[in-house]
Amino acid sequence: MPVEAQAPRRGSVVWRYFGDARNMLLGPPLLVLQVAHPVVGAGVLQHSNYKQEPWQRLIRTYLSLSTMIYGGQRGAERETARLRRLHETIKGVDDQGRRYHALNPEAYLWVHATLVQGGVDAHRVFGRPLTDAQITEYYADMRQVGLLLGLREHHLPADWASFRAYYDERVLNRLENNQAVWDVIDSVRNLKKPLPVIPDLLWRPFGSAAGRLAHLVTVGALPDVMRDRLGLTWSSDQERRLRRFARLVRITMSLVIPPLRIAGGITAARITMALADRRERQARKNQPNRPGPSPANALTD
């Protein structure tokens, strides 16, 4: 891992905005964009249980991101090593005969890029847009997160303008219409119960309404070129409904003091860190002479 890579600092722009609860509203469209990359889509189709356990997958992703941002240097490095171990075995051949590996730097960068852009978009749609100065600082810190993840300097665009050019080019020329995309869209539109104990009679009306709203946000937040590629329609009525919902979110969150907006992410990171510490103590107790985990290396070219 590059020695210069640093986890976000307490009070930084990333610290204050990335874990904002509103960002979770853009989780579904970001997942669509991620799996539209052929490498990511193939890995999800062949190695993920997302369709069977969407809520569990969402919680695991939330805990991972929270640890990267709010777990400090130790938490970010430990989570990086865990993610690399998890993705090392995710490889194979997709349905078009193309070989893939989850640690492909180009695909790894794309997933990171969707999260970078998603943090900016969430505040533009559901809050107050970040200023140019805030975006400059935000991207510099998220670039450090990319380095922590194992990406190299030459993988990452140097500044926000370069990142935006890269992002638009990837959407235009690299993303595709594949089965993983439609699995995500279907799971958003037809939300499963988060807990089996919830009675069907109670979940049906709530799940149906929540699914329609999540689908509206998903389609509305996708880049125009991606909507066209998927054949998704977007009407002026849908645009008005999305704006009304965004205004409601904006008004509601204005009543919440800023520290509480990121409290979930901070708490999730602390829980994850505490559980990881306990597992490490138990492992040392069971195998006192076992060497500690080696640091994660950067992704290969």
Side-chain angles (χ1 to χ4, degrees):
M1 177 180 301
V3 295
E4 71 273 12
Q6 297 295 317
R9 309 174 311 282
R10 177 181 288 272
S12 66
V13 173
V14 168
W15 179 280
R16 288 183 283 128
Y17 289 102
F18 187 84
D20 191 300
R22 287 169 287 195
N23 291 14
M24 295 186 68
L25 293 171
L26 288 192
L30 293 188
L31 185 54
V32 168
L33 289 169
Q34 289 171 10
V35 300
H37 189 288
V39 172
V40 182
V44 168
L45 279 175
Q46 297 183 5
H47 296 271
S48 173
N49 60 349
Y50 175 81
K51 289 179 66 176
Q52 292 74 33
E53 299 181 344
W55 291 100
Q56 293 88 330
R57 174 69 182 270
L58 176 64
I59 291 171
R60 289 194 296 269
T61 300
Y62 180 69
L63 291 173
S64 176
L65 290 174
S66 297
T67 304
M68 289 293 301
I69 302 301
Y70 299 110
Q73 193 72 18
R74 179 165 168 264
E77 291 179 357
R78 183 158 58 184
E79 182 60 16
T80 292
R82 188 192 72 82
L83 289 173
R84 281 186 56 79
R85 290 194 300 270
L86 178 67
H87 289 91
E88 278 176 353
T89 58
I90 300 178
K91 53 188 173 181
V93 179
D94 69 13
D95 58 5
Q96 297 186 40
R98 299 171 297 190
R99 300 194 66 82
Y100 70 87
H101 194 295
L103 290 180
N104 177 307
E106 188 247 350
Y108 222 64
L109 171 58
W110 174 244
V111 172
H112 176 63
T114 63
L115 300 173
V116 173
Q117 184 64 48
V120 174
D121 287 345
H123 289 280
R124 175 180 54 80
V125 176
F126 297 112
R128 180 179 297 177
L130 302 183
T131 66
D132 290 345
Q134 287 175 323
I135 289 177
T136 297
E137 181 185 333
Y138 168 85
Y139 180 69
D141 281 352
M142 288 302 288
R143 195 172 186 277
Q144 289 291 304
V145 173
L147 293 173
L148 281 166
L149 286 168
L151 294 163
R152 297 183 185 272
E153 284 280 354
H154 66 271
H155 293 143
L156 293 154
D159 52 32
W160 179 250
S162 301
F163 171 81
R164 282 298 311 155
Y166 152 82
Y167 191 87
D168 289 343
E169 188 279 331
R170 292 287 85 183
V171 172
L172 183 62
N173 297 315
R174 186 61 167 139
L175 304 190
E176 63 183 24
N177 182 347
N178 60 37
Q179 184 58 48
V181 166
W182 290 104
D183 285 347
V184 171
I185 292 174
D186 181 67
S187 70
V188 169
R189 192 163 23 200
N190 303 290
L191 289 175
K192 289 188 174 183
K193 293 188 295 185
L195 296 172
V197 296
I198 299 176
D200 290 341
L201 188 63
L202 293 178
W203 176 252
R204 274 196 210 99
F206 177 81
S208 177
R212 288 194 301 271
L213 182 57
H215 182 71
L216 178 74
V217 173
T218 298
V219 178
L222 289 175
D224 292 346
V225 66
M226 197 62 200
R227 274 204 302 261
D228 293 342
R229 188 170 299 157
L230 298 176
L232 297 169
T233 59
W234 187 248
S235 66
S236 56
D237 178 63
Q238 289 172 302
E239 180 68 28
R240 284 192 294 270
R241 284 189 283 138
L242 179 57
R243 288 182 179 180
R244 285 197 297 268
F245 175 62
R247 185 163 54 249
L248 175 63
V249 172
R250 198 176 301 118
I251 292 171
T252 302
M253 291 302 292
S254 70
L255 305 176
V256 180
I257 61 173
L260 287 182
R261 298 172 192 169
I262 61 173
I266 294 173
T267 301
R270 290 176 177 172
I271 292 173
T272 302
M273 292 285 288
L275 292 174
D277 286 341
R278 186 170 69 178
R279 286 194 296 269
E280 287 186 1
R281 288 195 299 269
Q282 188 63 42
R284 287 195 298 269
K285 181 179 178 181
N286 294 339
Q287 300 182 38
N289 296 322
R290 180 183 178 183
S294 58
N297 297 318
L299 274 68
T300 58
D301 294 324

